Amino acid sequence: MTRTRTQQARREQFIDAALRAINERGRDNVRIRDIAAAAGVSPGSVLYHYPELAELMFDVHRTVADRFYHHRVDTVDAAEDAELKLAAAIETGLPTGQDDEVASALYEMHGLADRSSEHAALMTGLYDREVALYAAVLEIGRATGRFTLSRPVREIAATLVALEDGLGLHLISNNTSVERSTAKHLLAECARQATGCATIP
């Protein structure tokens, strides 16, 4: 049965509440009562729309993956040339800090992939979209004569995604040896070497 707009709005309210609860308590410590408290409703109200916590966790994972990706796409699309597009992809691929709610939740939810094929599919889907985003920017740079690629497009794109994922985990985990400016520099330098373009910000 198709959900009404009210039902959908209610579910979105609980997804946002669950997102806040996850960031406050950690994914494995969140219970329905925590989500209800964050939403300002009774636990029964949450259970009416989400009888199983696992279903809500899946919707949280799907939502944060979509928000993270679409923010990246919008920012890249708004940039004018290939160098700025690549810089925008790098900028949006890294968490802004430990208080980055979407990025923090995304790393938390990715941790479910080793025990759930559904969550693994979400993680894989986001990875593939991010690689495709970088690949599209690299193709634009090559087509406009701005980039001279040192390796195949997908290989460069996959390397950049893997590097930002690893650095992002350190940033979210409060590794004091890795600052955001350092992480951004490492990504940009990798991009400069792979594209032969020294003017990438």
Side-chain angles (χ1 to χ4, degrees):
M1 184 172 71
T2 303
R3 296 191 192 109
T4 67
R5 289 183 181 178
T6 300
Q7 288 174 322
Q8 186 59 38
R10 200 62 154 164
R11 288 172 72 95
E12 289 172 3
Q13 176 190 5
F14 297 145
I15 290 169
D16 286 335
L19 177 57
R20 292 193 299 274
I22 289 167
N23 280 311
E24 289 173 5
R25 303 176 63 85
R27 183 199 68 221
D28 292 336
N29 297 320
V30 170
R31 301 293 179 262
I32 290 293
R33 64 177 178 273
D34 303 316
I35 296 163
V41 300
S42 69
S45 182
V46 178
L47 288 168
Y48 175 79
H49 293 276
Y50 285 104
E52 298 294 334
L53 181 59
E55 182 186 358
L56 178 51
M57 290 296 102
F58 178 83
D59 278 356
V60 169
H61 193 174
R62 175 184 51 77
T63 298
V64 293
D66 286 346
R67 287 179 184 174
F68 180 75
Y69 173 72
H70 289 300
H71 171 65
R72 301 193 73 178
V73 170
D74 291 344
T75 306
V76 169
D77 285 349
E80 293 183 359
D81 57 33
E83 292 99 316
L84 291 178
K85 287 181 182 294
L86 190 48
I90 291 169
E91 177 70 31
T92 56
L94 293 170
T96 57
Q98 278 192 295
D99 59 349
D100 187 325
E101 189 176 74
V102 170
S104 294
L106 194 56
Y107 279 98
E108 286 265 7
M109 302 313 292
H110 278 353
L112 294 170
D114 65 344
R115 64 185 93 158
S116 164
S117 59
E118 290 83 4
H119 285 279
L122 287 175
M123 186 175 69
T124 301
L126 177 60
Y127 171 83
D128 288 342
R129 286 187 288 174
E130 291 182 289
V131 170
L133 177 62
Y134 268 117
V137 172
L138 293 168
E139 291 286 13
I140 290 170
R142 180 163 63 180
T144 56
R146 302 298 298 168
F147 297 164
T148 302
L149 304 182
S150 63
R151 306 194 308 279
V153 168
R154 182 172 174 81
E155 186 176 316
I156 297 171
T159 299
L160 290 169
V161 172
L163 184 56
E164 70 185 19
D165 283 350
L167 290 167
L169 180 59
H170 286 287
L171 292 172
I172 288 295
S173 303
N174 197 30
N175 180 342
T176 57
S177 293
V178 181
E179 296 182 355
R180 192 176 192 277
S181 58
T182 303
K184 185 177 173 181
H185 169 75
L186 291 171
L187 272 163
E189 187 57 31
C190 179
R192 292 182 195 110
Q193 291 179 14
T195 61
C197 182
T199 58
I200 296 169

PDB file of all heavy atoms in Angstrom, residues 138-159:
ATOM      1  N   LEU A 138      36.987  13.841 -14.208  1.00  0.00           N
ATOM      2  CA  LEU A 138      38.238  13.565 -14.920  1.00  0.00           C
ATOM      3  C   LEU A 138      38.031  13.567 -16.429  1.00  0.00           C
ATOM      4  O   LEU A 138      38.878  14.082 -17.176  1.00  0.00           O
ATOM      5  CB  LEU A 138      38.802  12.215 -14.459  1.00  0.00           C
ATOM      6  CG  LEU A 138      39.277  12.145 -13.004  1.00  0.00           C
ATOM      7  CD1 LEU A 138      39.528  10.706 -12.589  1.00  0.00           C
ATOM      8  CD2 LEU A 138      40.529  12.996 -12.791  1.00  0.00           C
ATOM      9  N   GLU A 139      36.909  13.034 -16.878  1.00  0.00           N
ATOM     10  CA  GLU A 139      36.599  13.022 -18.310  1.00  0.00           C
ATOM     11  C   GLU A 139      36.399  14.440 -18.839  1.00  0.00           C
ATOM     12  O   GLU A 139      36.825  14.767 -19.950  1.00  0.00           O
ATOM     13  CB  GLU A 139      35.353  12.182 -18.577  1.00  0.00           C
ATOM     14  CG  GLU A 139      35.531  10.685 -18.365  1.00  0.00           C
ATOM     15  CD  GLU A 139      36.333  10.006 -19.467  1.00  0.00           C
ATOM     16  OE1 GLU A 139      36.971  10.698 -20.289  1.00  0.00           O
ATOM     17  OE2 GLU A 139      36.333   8.761 -19.497  1.00  0.00           O
ATOM     18  N   ILE A 140      35.752  15.284 -18.040  1.00  0.00           N
ATOM     19  CA  ILE A 140      35.570  16.681 -18.443  1.00  0.00           C
ATOM     20  C   ILE A 140      36.935  17.354 -18.592  1.00  0.00           C
ATOM     21  O   ILE A 140      37.195  18.067 -19.571  1.00  0.00           O
ATOM     22  CB  ILE A 140      34.710  17.433 -17.406  1.00  0.00           C
ATOM     23  CG1 ILE A 140      33.267  16.947 -17.464  1.00  0.00           C
ATOM     24  CG2 ILE A 140      34.770  18.945 -17.643  1.00  0.00           C
ATOM     25  CD1 ILE A 140      32.392  17.462 -16.327  1.00  0.00           C
ATOM     26  N   GLY A 141      37.808  17.115 -17.614  1.00  0.00           N
ATOM     27  CA  GLY A 141      39.139  17.701 -17.677  1.00  0.00           C
ATOM     28  C   GLY A 141      39.934  17.218 -18.878  1.00  0.00           C
ATOM     29  O   GLY A 141      40.638  18.010 -19.535  1.00  0.00           O
ATOM     30  N   ARG A 142      39.813  15.960 -19.197  1.00  0.00           N
ATOM     31  CA  ARG A 142      40.533  15.429 -20.356  1.00  0.00           C
ATOM     32  C   ARG A 142      39.946  15.973 -21.654  1.00  0.00           C
ATOM     33  O   ARG A 142      40.695  16.368 -22.555  1.00  0.00           O
ATOM     34  CB  ARG A 142      40.484  13.901 -20.355  1.00  0.00           C
ATOM     35  CG  ARG A 142      41.217  13.285 -21.532  1.00  0.00           C
ATOM     36  CD  ARG A 142      41.530  11.831 -21.324  1.00  0.00           C
ATOM     37  NE  ARG A 142      40.340  10.995 -21.192  1.00  0.00           N
ATOM     38  CZ  ARG A 142      40.395   9.678 -21.002  1.00  0.00           C
ATOM     39  NH1 ARG A 142      41.581   9.071 -20.883  1.00  0.00           N
ATOM     40  NH2 ARG A 142      39.293   8.966 -20.882  1.00  0.00           N
ATOM     41  N   ALA A 143      38.622  16.032 -21.733  1.00  0.00           N
ATOM     42  CA  ALA A 143      37.965  16.506 -22.946  1.00  0.00           C
ATOM     43  C   ALA A 143      38.258  17.976 -23.230  1.00  0.00           C
ATOM     44  O   ALA A 143      38.312  18.391 -24.403  1.00  0.00           O
ATOM     45  CB  ALA A 143      36.453  16.287 -22.830  1.00  0.00           C
ATOM     46  N   THR A 144      38.441  18.759 -22.175  1.00  0.00           N
ATOM     47  CA  THR A 144      38.705  20.185 -22.356  1.00  0.00           C
ATOM     48  C   THR A 144      40.199  20.498 -22.437  1.00  0.00           C
ATOM     49  O   THR A 144      40.589  21.670 -22.553  1.00  0.00           O
ATOM     50  CB  THR A 144      38.090  21.001 -21.195  1.00  0.00           C
ATOM     51  OG1 THR A 144      38.583  20.512 -19.941  1.00  0.00           O
ATOM     52  CG2 THR A 144      36.572  20.892 -21.216  1.00  0.00           C
ATOM     53  N   GLY A 145      41.023  19.466 -22.374  1.00  0.00           N
ATOM     54  CA  GLY A 145      42.458  19.661 -22.493  1.00  0.00           C
ATOM     55  C   GLY A 145      43.137  20.155 -21.227  1.00  0.00           C
ATOM     56  O   GLY A 145      44.322  20.502 -21.251  1.00  0.00           O
ATOM     57  N   ARG A 146      42.398  20.150 -20.117  1.00  0.00           N
ATOM     58  CA  ARG A 146      42.966  20.615 -18.854  1.00  0.00           C
ATOM     59  C   ARG A 146      43.746  19.519 -18.141  1.00  0.00           C
ATOM     60  O   ARG A 146      44.673  19.815 -17.390  1.00  0.00           O
ATOM     61  CB  ARG A 146      41.852  21.143 -17.930  1.00  0.00           C
ATOM     62  CG  ARG A 146      41.023  22.269 -18.515  1.00  0.00           C
ATOM     63  CD  ARG A 146      41.879  23.484 -18.813  1.00  0.00           C
ATOM     64  NE  ARG A 146      42.491  24.011 -17.595  1.00  0.00           N
ATOM     65  CZ  ARG A 146      43.460  24.917 -17.595  1.00  0.00           C
ATOM     66  NH1 ARG A 146      43.950  25.362 -18.730  1.00  0.00           N
ATOM     67  NH2 ARG A 146      43.945  25.354 -16.441  1.00  0.00           N
ATOM     68  N   PHE A 147      43.337  18.259 -18.348  1.00  0.00           N
ATOM     69  CA  PHE A 147      43.981  17.141 -17.665  1.00  0.00           C
ATOM     70  C   PHE A 147      44.674  16.240 -18.671  1.00  0.00           C
ATOM     71  O   PHE A 147      44.137  15.951 -19.755  1.00  0.00           O
ATOM     72  CB  PHE A 147      42.959  16.295 -16.901  1.00  0.00           C
ATOM     73  CG  PHE A 147      42.242  17.011 -15.783  1.00  0.00           C
ATOM     74  CD1 PHE A 147      41.077  16.469 -15.245  1.00  0.00           C
ATOM     75  CD2 PHE A 147      42.705  18.210 -15.262  1.00  0.00           C
ATOM     76  CE1 PHE A 147      40.398  17.101 -14.214  1.00  0.00           C
ATOM     77  CE2 PHE A 147      42.035  18.866 -14.234  1.00  0.00           C
ATOM     78  CZ  PHE A 147      40.873  18.304 -13.709  1.00  0.00           C
ATOM     79  N   THR A 148      45.860  15.776 -18.310  1.00  0.00           N
ATOM     80  CA  THR A 148      46.545  14.708 -19.037  1.00  0.00           C
ATOM     81  C   THR A 148      46.675  13.557 -18.056  1.00  0.00           C
ATOM     82  O   THR A 148      47.535  13.578 -17.167  1.00  0.00           O
ATOM     83  CB  THR A 148      47.932  15.178 -19.516  1.00  0.00           C
ATOM     84  OG1 THR A 148      47.783  16.328 -20.346  1.00  0.00           O
ATOM     85  CG2 THR A 148      48.616  14.060 -20.298  1.00  0.00           C
ATOM     86  N   LEU A 149      45.815  12.571 -18.191  1.00  0.00           N
ATOM     87  CA  LEU A 149      45.699  11.530 -17.177  1.00  0.00           C
ATOM     88  C   LEU A 149      46.851  10.533 -17.246  1.00  0.00           C
ATOM     89  O   LEU A 149      47.212  10.052 -18.321  1.00  0.00           O
ATOM     90  CB  LEU A 149      44.357  10.809 -17.326  1.00  0.00           C
ATOM     91  CG  LEU A 149      43.117  11.719 -17.273  1.00  0.00           C
ATOM     92  CD1 LEU A 149      41.843  10.879 -17.376  1.00  0.00           C
ATOM     93  CD2 LEU A 149      43.097  12.559 -16.004  1.00  0.00           C
ATOM     94  N   SER A 150      47.386  10.202 -16.088  1.00  0.00           N
ATOM     95  CA  SER A 150      48.525   9.286 -16.012  1.00  0.00           C
ATOM     96  C   SER A 150      48.104   7.828 -15.987  1.00  0.00           C
ATOM     97  O   SER A 150      48.917   6.943 -16.239  1.00  0.00           O
ATOM     98  CB  SER A 150      49.354   9.590 -14.758  1.00  0.00           C
ATOM     99  OG  SER A 150      48.577   9.363 -13.582  1.00  0.00           O
ATOM    100  N   ARG A 151      46.841   7.580 -15.654  1.00  0.00           N
ATOM    101  CA  ARG A 151      46.332   6.219 -15.551  1.00  0.00           C
ATOM    102  C   ARG A 151      44.886   6.200 -16.052  1.00  0.00           C
ATOM    103  O   ARG A 151      44.288   7.267 -16.276  1.00  0.00           O
ATOM    104  CB  ARG A 151      46.382   5.714 -14.096  1.00  0.00           C
ATOM    105  CG  ARG A 151      47.744   5.819 -13.456  1.00  0.00           C
ATOM    106  CD  ARG A 151      47.862   5.020 -12.168  1.00  0.00           C
ATOM    107  NE  ARG A 151      46.819   5.289 -11.202  1.00  0.00           N
ATOM    108  CZ  ARG A 151      46.808   6.336 -10.372  1.00  0.00           C
ATOM    109  NH1 ARG A 151      47.774   7.249 -10.432  1.00  0.00           N
ATOM    110  NH2 ARG A 151      45.848   6.484  -9.493  1.00  0.00           N
ATOM    111  N   PRO A 152      44.289   5.032 -16.217  1.00  0.00           N
ATOM    112  CA  PRO A 152      42.887   4.971 -16.652  1.00  0.00           C
ATOM    113  C   PRO A 152      41.972   5.736 -15.710  1.00  0.00           C
ATOM    114  O   PRO A 152      42.204   5.807 -14.493  1.00  0.00           O
ATOM    115  CB  PRO A 152      42.583   3.467 -16.630  1.00  0.00           C
ATOM    116  CG  PRO A 152      43.909   2.811 -16.829  1.00  0.00           C
ATOM    117  CD  PRO A 152      44.896   3.690 -16.115  1.00  0.00           C
ATOM    118  N   VAL A 153      40.919   6.317 -16.265  1.00  0.00           N
ATOM    119  CA  VAL A 153      40.003   7.167 -15.505  1.00  0.00           C
ATOM    120  C   VAL A 153      39.472   6.470 -14.267  1.00  0.00           C
ATOM    121  O   VAL A 153      39.521   7.025 -13.161  1.00  0.00           O
ATOM    122  CB  VAL A 153      38.824   7.619 -16.399  1.00  0.00           C
ATOM    123  CG1 VAL A 153      37.708   8.243 -15.554  1.00  0.00           C
ATOM    124  CG2 VAL A 153      39.287   8.625 -17.426  1.00  0.00           C
ATOM    125  N   ARG A 154      38.945   5.277 -14.418  1.00  0.00           N
ATOM    126  CA  ARG A 154      38.346   4.599 -13.276  1.00  0.00           C
ATOM    127  C   ARG A 154      39.385   4.289 -12.207  1.00  0.00           C
ATOM    128  O   ARG A 154      39.075   4.341 -11.012  1.00  0.00           O
ATOM    129  CB  ARG A 154      37.626   3.322 -13.709  1.00  0.00           C
ATOM    130  CG  ARG A 154      36.957   2.619 -12.530  1.00  0.00           C
ATOM    131  CD  ARG A 154      36.063   1.464 -12.916  1.00  0.00           C
ATOM    132  NE  ARG A 154      35.602   0.779 -11.712  1.00  0.00           N
ATOM    133  CZ  ARG A 154      34.597   1.175 -10.959  1.00  0.00           C
ATOM    134  NH1 ARG A 154      33.925   2.277 -11.280  1.00  0.00           N
ATOM    135  NH2 ARG A 154      34.238   0.494  -9.883  1.00  0.00           N
ATOM    136  N   GLU A 155      40.595   3.986 -12.606  1.00  0.00           N
ATOM    137  CA  GLU A 155      41.648   3.695 -11.626  1.00  0.00           C
ATOM    138  C   GLU A 155      41.968   4.926 -10.783  1.00  0.00           C
ATOM    139  O   GLU A 155      42.114   4.837  -9.559  1.00  0.00           O
ATOM    140  CB  GLU A 155      42.896   3.213 -12.351  1.00  0.00           C
ATOM    141  CG  GLU A 155      44.012   2.746 -11.432  1.00  0.00           C
ATOM    142  CD  GLU A 155      45.194   2.197 -12.191  1.00  0.00           C
ATOM    143  OE1 GLU A 155      44.970   1.434 -13.154  1.00  0.00           O
ATOM    144  OE2 GLU A 155      46.341   2.558 -11.844  1.00  0.00           O
ATOM    145  N   ILE A 156      42.073   6.079 -11.426  1.00  0.00           N
ATOM    146  CA  ILE A 156      42.322   7.317 -10.690  1.00  0.00           C
ATOM    147  C   ILE A 156      41.154   7.629  -9.770  1.00  0.00           C
ATOM    148  O   ILE A 156      41.339   7.974  -8.601  1.00  0.00           O
ATOM    149  CB  ILE A 156      42.551   8.490 -11.662  1.00  0.00           C
ATOM    150  CG1 ILE A 156      43.794   8.251 -12.515  1.00  0.00           C
ATOM    151  CG2 ILE A 156      42.671   9.809 -10.895  1.00  0.00           C
ATOM    152  CD1 ILE A 156      43.965   9.249 -13.650  1.00  0.00           C
ATOM    153  N   ALA A 157      39.933   7.504 -10.308  1.00  0.00           N
ATOM    154  CA  ALA A 157      38.737   7.810  -9.519  1.00  0.00           C
ATOM    155  C   ALA A 157      38.639   6.900  -8.297  1.00  0.00           C
ATOM    156  O   ALA A 157      38.352   7.363  -7.182  1.00  0.00           O
ATOM    157  CB  ALA A 157      37.490   7.666 -10.391  1.00  0.00           C
ATOM    158  N   ALA A 158      38.883   5.613  -8.485  1.00  0.00           N
ATOM    159  CA  ALA A 158      38.804   4.662  -7.373  1.00  0.00           C
ATOM    160  C   ALA A 158      39.875   4.954  -6.328  1.00  0.00           C
ATOM    161  O   ALA A 158      39.633   4.826  -5.119  1.00  0.00           O
ATOM    162  CB  ALA A 158      38.949   3.237  -7.895  1.00  0.00           C
ATOM    163  N   THR A 159      41.058   5.372  -6.772  1.00  0.00           N
ATOM    164  CA  THR A 159      42.132   5.718  -5.843  1.00  0.00           C
ATOM    165  C   THR A 159      41.744   6.910  -4.983  1.00  0.00           C
ATOM    166  O   THR A 159      41.962   6.920  -3.762  1.00  0.00           O
ATOM    167  CB  THR A 159      43.427   6.039  -6.616  1.00  0.00           C
ATOM    168  OG1 THR A 159      43.833   4.876  -7.356  1.00  0.00           O
ATOM    169  CG2 THR A 159      44.545   6.446  -5.667  1.00  0.00           C
TER     170      THR A 159
END
